[in-house]
Amino acid sequence: MAKFANEWFERRHTGTHAAQEAARRMCTAQTPEDLGRECQEWITGALQRVTDDGLACQQLVGAFAALLLDAAPQPQPEKRTPRQ
């Protein structure tokens, strides 16, 4: 869980800096094409971070499920008694 949380916060930190930098570049864009390119690059990075969040969540849930399965009591085979 700590690894998941640390990586999530790192992606948020990266995203915050990327948004700040993208805003600076958009404000100084010389042409509409430059503005569009900067916006597209920022959106691409944001979507990649969201995708990475989803993958990390799947991995965390999978690891948690594996722990639960390992800790669950295993069914015992029925003992058969001979008929008389």
Side-chain angles (χ1 to χ4, degrees):
M1 187 65 169
K3 179 180 183 289
F4 172 79
N6 288 336
E7 290 174 354
W8 186 90
F9 279 111
E10 180 61 34
R11 284 188 295 276
R12 299 296 71 75
H13 181 76
T14 300
T16 300
H17 286 284
Q20 183 180 24
E21 184 61 26
R24 186 191 61 75
R25 289 191 311 263
M26 284 184 228
C27 288
T28 60
Q30 300 296 312
T31 66
E33 292 81 15
D34 292 342
L35 176 65
R37 184 182 59 253
E38 296 302 337
C39 186
Q40 182 66 38
E41 286 180 18
W42 172 73
I43 290 170
T44 300
L47 290 175
Q48 182 61 54
R49 284 185 292 280
V50 169
T51 301
D52 292 345
D53 287 345
L55 178 59
C57 184
Q58 284 179 332
Q59 291 170 341
L60 177 67
V61 169
F64 184 67
L67 288 173
L68 288 177
L69 286 174
D70 286 345
Q74 300 299 317
Q76 300 297 319
E78 284 185 33
K79 291 185 179 179
R80 294 187 178 218
T81 57
R83 289 188 173 177
Q84 294 183 357

